[in-house]
Amino acid sequence: MKHIYTVTGMTCNGCRTFVEKKLNAMDAVLEATVDLETSEAVIESQEHIATEALQAALGDHYIISLPGEDNSKKNLAESKNKKGKGTGMFYCPMQCEGEKTYNAPGDCPVCGMDLVEEVSLVQNSETTYTCTMHPEIIKDEFGLCPICGMELVPAEVEESEEIKTYKKLFHKFWISVVFTVPIFLIAMSDMVPNNPIYHILDLNYWNYIQFLLSIPVVFYANWVFFKRAYKSVLTWNLNMFTLIGIGSGVAWLFSVFGILFPDLFPAQFKTATGTVHVYFEAATVILTLVMLGQLLEAKAHSKTNSAVKELLKLAPNKAVKVVNGKEEIISIDKIVVGNILRVKPGDRIPVDGVIVEGESSVDESMITGEPIPVTKTKNDLVKAGTINGKQSFLMKAEKVGADTLLSQIIVMVNNASRSKAPIQKLADKISGYFVPVVVIISIITFFVWKIFGPEPSYVYALVNAIAVLIIACPCALGLATPMSVMVGVGKGAKAGVLIKNAEALEKLNKINVVIIDKTGTITEGKPSVETVAEVSEGFNHKKVLQYIISLNTLSEHPIAEATVKYGKEQNEVGLKVSNFTSVTGKGVSGFIESKKVVLGNDQLMRDSGVTISNKLKEEIVAYQKLGKTVPMLAVEGNLMGYVVISDKIKETSKRAIAQLHEKGLKVIMLTGDNEETAKAVASELKLEEFRAEVLPEDKLKEVERLQNEGAVVAMAGDGINDAPALAKSDVGIAMGTGTDVAIESASITLVKGDLHGIVKAHNLSVETMKNIKQNLFFALFYNSLGIPIAAGVLFPFFGLLLSPMLAAVAMSFSSVSVIANALRLRKINIE
């Protein structure tokens, strides 16, 4: 028996391997293969295996079910996992395991860093409302306070994990400071002539006091670093905390043994009074400074996803629902598809929908990046989060919750932020060898100073070996790429450039050819009928239009929609069509009143054996030279008429193409339109290269041809016919005004749907890659310079040594510096 099961919860290849291994370990299973992409498991067995048995083998981490089986357990598990104001989904900011996510807060099992919670727009269905004046009033729905009449507001929900983590670090940092400062002052008092504190107690007692003060610092405030270090050694995922744990741990343990068993130590480690030199101040200051670095890093990291947080603020928490002419205020999560909503002046539009009554200007800058308000009238689409102008209108809800454009933007930004750019492979490769190499350098440093260093050589050896461990920072290297990607993707989202993954962001920097479609990409994609002409006495104007709209009613092409709309305006009614056929890139055909009818371009006419007179050809070509599209109508092999379609070139197209040329990029226009129309459009846009009468498969072949010649190709399109070429190109760019298929096939989506978005996307890619390279250079330069200095290479020439405490300062601020540099991307101009 062979069955296909759906497996949910897998996020990486490690998950796939785990599931496959667990299933194959079952006695009743002959063979199990698991596919991560489709989230499916194919299980071969001699007898049926109950789903419950398969679930028991996988545990609670993954949910296995037959297609169509009730997934209530999965949904329940997901709802239980949600915490705070986020999604309940956590990820490592350094992307140690790629796009893998976790269901609970904690530490990354690879690098040890705090996991970060992803934020979401999806509202909690259990939102409650309260009155600011009367907090005892709690309601499940939005409304007015029954006591004072004030509007109820959403009750405060549990804090996000991000805020909790920051507060926890803040608390532990100040505990660490309180106990570390006196230890530091006691240790530094040795620098004061005739040390006054020795008149109060002997040095040995002060060492014990330092020991007692250090216990809360080590075992409470910073114990998490040692836990991470231990776990990293146990799993052999060596990281920054491995080095911190070894360095500060050695200093602290050495000091403890020094005060408890002083006789075990040689004279080199002892003071003039016979006590052993202790390094409690080094251990505690190092740990406190590392905690400060973690605190600053958490603060800075919260700003890297600020773009998503700002998008979250766009969604209102209430809406005005209209039922039978009466208005009622409802919570945003109570809106369902089909509801009629009133949007008042200045209000944010609650969900995606269409205007059914009224008109207004709408500020869409937060979605498209364009500052000029757009006039919206009846039947126009409006998007959630955009701001209504000075007039009121009624709208019908069409997409709610996670289906709105705003929600999809946030999901795309979150997913892209977690994806890895190819350039990160270099950092990952270096990081894999980094910690073991640093430990070896530290050991070498110890023995070199022991053998060749001045007296007390053991002391110099120990201090410099610890400094090497502390100053090394694999964290800065690991954060170099992800932080820039996160900020860059967020910056793009605010400018109307949606990036599906980091690979696309990097590849866009390398493109040298841009292929663009005509209809809907260069032009508005809103064709309109200029004229309908009859060319045979057997068919009058009315009959030609009637046949055209009859065929086009069954077609989804924008030109077809334009003719149908025109027919309705002329009060024409279509006829019954049988055996309808759509010929991709050419036109449509069918039978009307038992006659074979063909409607399309020159190619379709030739294929159908339709003869066109020279005079008629000249008439049609004259329109085409003006950039018009002219579909022709033939009945029973005879040309009966044609329709002239115009599609206005977008205002931004000419400027955008000029800017792409200035960047040294070759721009090629591909269109299914005829040669004359294509030539007219290319001439107006000053395009040197174009291909006309191109079929979808020809677009794909053109992309492949250019790639075979060594070109890095970006393809921009908006229709179903563009999808194969979008998927094949190095970077597929979809117009947000286009079809879902095109958007799904592309790796970048331009919300506003104009070519200037390509310019913005390319500028963003160039700036982001520059920022990543700066971060990588800084991280590599810092470690290449810092480790030798900590090892003492300057001592023979200048007599300079680096204290482990200064090494801790440098290490803590190196990561913060990388994040700070990434945050600069928020200020760049990509227009």
Side-chain angles (χ1 to χ4, degrees):
M1 299 178 70
K2 187 179 284 188
H3 294 291
I4 299 175
Y5 293 83
T6 300
V7 183
T8 58
M10 297 188 297
T11 56
C12 65
N13 197 51
C15 297
R16 185 202 66 78
T17 304
F18 174 85
V19 171
E20 194 169 86
K21 185 177 179 182
K22 286 292 183 182
L23 293 175
N24 278 306
M26 296 179 69
D27 294 335
V29 174
L30 297 177
E31 184 182 12
T33 55
V34 179
D35 191 313
L36 179 63
E37 294 298 319
T38 60
S39 295
E40 289 181 344
V42 180
I43 299 177
E44 192 174 342
S45 60
Q46 290 184 336
E47 57 185 28
H48 178 70
I49 305 172
T51 308
E52 290 76 13
L54 297 171
Q55 186 62 64
L58 298 184
D60 295 330
H61 296 294
Y62 308 97
I63 307 296
I64 187 168
S65 60
L66 286 166
E69 203 170 56
D70 180 26
N71 270 342
S72 57
K73 182 176 178 183
K74 170 198 162 194
N75 296 331
L76 179 64
E78 287 180 350
S79 65
K80 285 182 178 178
N81 285 333
K82 293 190 176 183
K83 301 179 185 295
K85 295 181 180 177
T87 58
M89 184 184 293
F90 298 81
Y91 63 95
C92 173
M94 285 176 60
Q95 304 168 337
C96 298
E97 295 180 278
E99 297 182 35
K100 183 171 182 178
T101 56
Y102 305 84
N103 293 328
D107 304 329
C108 171
V110 178
C111 70
M113 291 188 69
D114 287 310
L115 298 177
V116 178
E117 187 177 23
E118 188 179 87
V119 291
S120 169
L121 182 66
V122 179
Q123 304 283 328
N124 183 352
S125 60
E126 298 179 1
T127 300
T128 57
Y129 297 84
T130 186
C131 175
T132 52
M133 298 293 291
H134 302 92
E136 69 274 13
I137 300 297
I138 298 176
K139 299 281 187 182
D140 292 332
E141 295 185 354
F142 183 83
L144 302 177
C145 174
I147 299 175
C148 65
M150 289 182 64
E151 285 190 352
L152 299 180
V153 296
E156 288 188 12
V157 295
E158 187 183 350
E159 289 178 331
S160 68
E161 288 299 325
E162 184 179 74
I163 295 173
K164 285 182 181 178
T165 299
Y166 180 78
K167 285 185 174 179
K168 181 174 69 178
L169 291 173
F170 187 81
H171 171 72
K172 289 191 172 184
F173 168 69
W174 282 109
I175 292 290
S176 196
V177 168
V178 166
F179 287 95
T180 298
V181 168
I183 295 173
F184 182 76
L185 293 175
I186 292 169
M188 293 301 104
S189 65
D190 274 340
M191 301 175 69
V192 179
N194 193 21
N195 194 335
I197 70 169
Y198 293 161
H199 298 309
I200 303 171
L201 290 172
D202 289 340
L203 175 59
N204 191 45
Y205 291 110
W206 285 113
N207 286 345
Y208 273 101
I209 290 172
Q210 289 185 68
F211 165 61
L212 293 173
L213 288 170
S214 71
I215 290 174
V217 178
V218 173
F219 291 96
Y220 172 69
N222 300 283
W223 184 243
V224 64
F225 297 151
F226 293 100
K227 284 172 65 178
R228 292 174 179 177
Y230 173 73
K231 190 176 180 180
S232 71
V233 174
L234 210 61
T235 60
W236 208 243
N237 290 315
L238 306 180
N239 53 50
M240 175 182 80
F241 298 104
T242 315
L243 302 177
I244 293 167
I246 294 172
S248 57
V250 166
W252 190 81
L253 288 173
F254 174 88
S255 304
V256 171
F257 276 89
I259 61 173
L260 296 178
F261 310 105
D263 295 337
L264 297 178
F265 290 82
Q268 280 188 336
F269 284 106
K270 294 182 179 179
T271 65
T273 59
T275 59
V276 175
H277 285 289
V278 293
Y279 299 98
F280 289 117
E281 89 286 352
T284 55
V285 169
I286 287 167
L287 291 171
T288 302
L289 289 170
V290 172
M291 180 59 75
L292 173 62
Q294 293 286 292
L295 185 68
L296 294 174
E297 203 170 293
K299 187 74 172 176
H301 191 277
S302 69
K303 295 178 182 178
T304 60
N305 61 358
S306 62
V308 177
K309 292 176 182 175
E310 287 177 27
L311 288 171
L312 288 173
K313 294 175 185 176
L314 298 179
N317 54 29
K318 65 181 189 294
V320 180
K321 180 181 174 183
V322 180
V323 181
N324 297 325
K326 293 182 179 180
E327 297 182 2
E328 60 175 294
I329 300 174
I330 62 170
S331 170
I332 189 82
D333 52 353
K334 301 294 183 185
I335 300 173
V336 297
V337 174
N339 280 167
I340 301 298
L341 308 171
R342 179 171 294 283
V343 183
K344 297 180 179 180
D347 283 356
R348 290 192 183 276
I349 294 169
V351 294
D352 291 2
V354 62
I355 295 178
V356 294
E357 182 183 305
E359 61 179 54
S360 186
S361 60
V362 177
D363 179 3
E364 297 183 330
S365 59
M366 61 293 298
I367 299 291
T368 64
E370 298 297 324
I372 301 172
V374 181
T375 301
K376 299 284 185 177
T377 58
K378 188 176 179 180
N379 296 326
D380 282 345
L381 296 174
V382 288
K383 302 295 183 183
T386 55
I387 302 173
N388 184 23
K390 297 179 180 180
Q391 293 174 276
S392 174
F393 61 82
L394 292 179
M395 64 172 286
K396 180 181 178 182
E398 292 191 336
K399 292 182 179 179
V400 301
D403 294 329
T404 64
L405 175 63
L406 183 59
S407 290
Q408 291 170 357
I409 289 173
I410 290 168
V411 169
M412 190 179 287
V413 172
N414 279 329
N415 291 342
S417 297
R418 290 202 312 270
S419 63
K420 276 193 176 185
I423 196 172
Q424 195 171 339
K425 291 177 182 177
L426 170 65
D428 290 345
K429 194 169 184 180
I430 295 171
S431 296
Y433 298 99
F434 188 89
V435 175
V437 168
V438 170
V439 172
I440 291 169
I441 292 172
S442 177
I443 293 170
I444 292 171
T445 298
F446 180 88
F447 283 107
V448 168
W449 277 95
K450 167 62 187 72
I451 298 168
F452 302 106
E455 294 298 332
S457 59
Y458 274 111
V459 174
Y460 279 112
L462 179 65
V463 171
N464 290 322
I466 291 173
V468 168
L469 292 172
I470 298 301
I471 200 168
C473 189
C475 194
L477 195 61
L479 289 171
T481 302
M483 291 299 100
S484 296
V485 168
M486 183 177 288
V487 180
V489 167
K491 174 75 176 179
K494 290 176 69 177
V497 178
L498 306 182
I499 297 159
K500 192 176 286 186
N501 54 58
E503 184 178 1
L505 187 62
E506 179 175 339
K507 278 187 176 179
L508 193 59
N509 177 57
K510 301 174 182 175
I511 63 165
N512 46 34
V513 175
V514 179
I515 295 177
I516 52 179
D517 179 45
K518 182 180 78 71
T519 305
T521 303
I522 291 176
T523 64
E524 295 281 359
K526 298 177 181 177
S528 59
V529 175
E530 282 198 5
T531 185
V532 175
E534 68 277 9
V535 297
S536 173
E537 293 182 1
F539 265 62
N540 58 23
H541 180 278
K542 178 182 174 67
K543 198 75 170 175
V544 170
L545 178 58
Q546 198 173 33
Y547 268 45
I548 288 173
I549 65 172
S550 299
L551 277 177
N552 278 342
T553 300
L554 302 176
S555 173
E556 294 182 352
H557 197 282
I559 288 178
E561 291 175 5
T563 59
V564 172
K565 181 181 177 183
Y566 178 77
K568 287 180 180 177
E569 291 170 355
Q570 302 298 314
N571 297 317
E572 290 296 340
V573 180
L575 302 171
K576 185 179 179 181
V577 178
S578 60
N579 297 329
F580 175 83
T581 305
S582 176
V583 185
T584 306
K586 296 180 182 180
V588 293
S589 65
F591 283 83
I592 301 175
E593 298 178 333
S594 301
K595 299 171 185 175
K596 177 68 181 290
V597 183
V598 177
L599 176 66
N601 60 16
D602 297 341
Q603 282 183 302
L604 186 59
M605 294 300 114
R606 286 195 296 271
D607 294 346
S608 303
V610 178
T611 304
I612 305 172
S613 67
N614 291 333
K615 182 181 178 182
L616 198 54
K617 276 183 182 177
E618 290 175 6
E619 190 176 317
I620 291 172
V621 168
Y623 281 117
Q624 291 173 340
K625 285 182 176 179
L626 296 174
K628 316 293 184 184
T629 302
V630 187
M632 289 166 276
L633 177 74
V635 180
E636 295 292 339
N638 298 309
L639 192 67
M640 294 298 179
Y642 60 84
V643 56
V644 179
I645 306 287
S646 63
D647 190 4
K648 184 182 175 185
I649 293 175
K650 293 176 184 175
E651 294 179 3
T652 54
S653 294
K654 192 170 184 178
R655 180 166 63 94
I657 289 170
Q659 287 177 302
L660 292 172
H661 282 151
E662 287 172 9
K663 289 173 170 286
L665 302 177
K666 180 191 286 187
V667 182
I668 303 172
M669 181 182 75
L670 301 184
T671 177
D673 233 325
N674 63 82
E675 184 79 17
E676 295 298 334
T677 302
K679 187 184 293 183
V681 173
S683 176
E684 184 173 343
L685 296 174
K686 296 182 180 177
L687 276 171
E688 295 178 3
E689 290 192 50
F690 68 91
R691 310 276 188 277
E693 299 181 359
V694 174
L695 299 175
E697 56 267 31
D698 296 329
K699 291 182 181 181
L700 178 62
K701 289 175 183 176
E702 182 67 13
V703 171
E704 290 175 336
R705 182 186 68 79
L706 290 165
Q707 288 174 330
N708 291 336
E709 291 175 0
V712 183
V713 182
M715 166 76 190
D718 74 322
I720 294 173
N721 60 340
D722 297 319
L726 287 171
K728 179 64 180 175
S729 63
D730 296 286
V731 182
I733 303 171
M735 301 293 124
T737 50
T739 63
D740 292 340
V741 176
I743 292 170
E744 188 64 31
S745 302
S747 48
I748 292 175
T749 301
L750 308 178
V751 176
K752 193 167 183 288
D754 66 38
L755 289 179
H756 184 60
I758 300 179
V759 177
K760 291 195 283 188
H762 189 265
N763 288 340
L764 178 65
S765 174
V766 170
E767 292 296 330
T768 302
M769 292 312 300
K770 188 193 299 181
N771 193 271
I772 288 173
K773 289 171 183 176
Q774 289 168 352
N775 280 345
L776 288 172
F777 173 79
F778 171 79
L780 291 169
F781 178 77
Y782 162 80
N783 283 293
S784 301
L785 187 67
I787 291 173
I789 291 175
V793 295
L794 298 180
F795 185 79
F797 309 103
F798 306 105
L800 295 176
L801 287 176
L802 188 67
S803 161
M805 289 181 283
L806 290 177
V809 173
M811 186 276 295
S812 296
F813 281 90
S814 61
S815 298
V816 177
S817 299
V818 165
I819 297 175
N821 186 53
L823 288 173
R824 290 193 311 108
L825 284 172
R826 295 192 301 175
K827 305 294 183 184
I828 62 169
N829 179 22
I830 61 172
E831 292 297 325

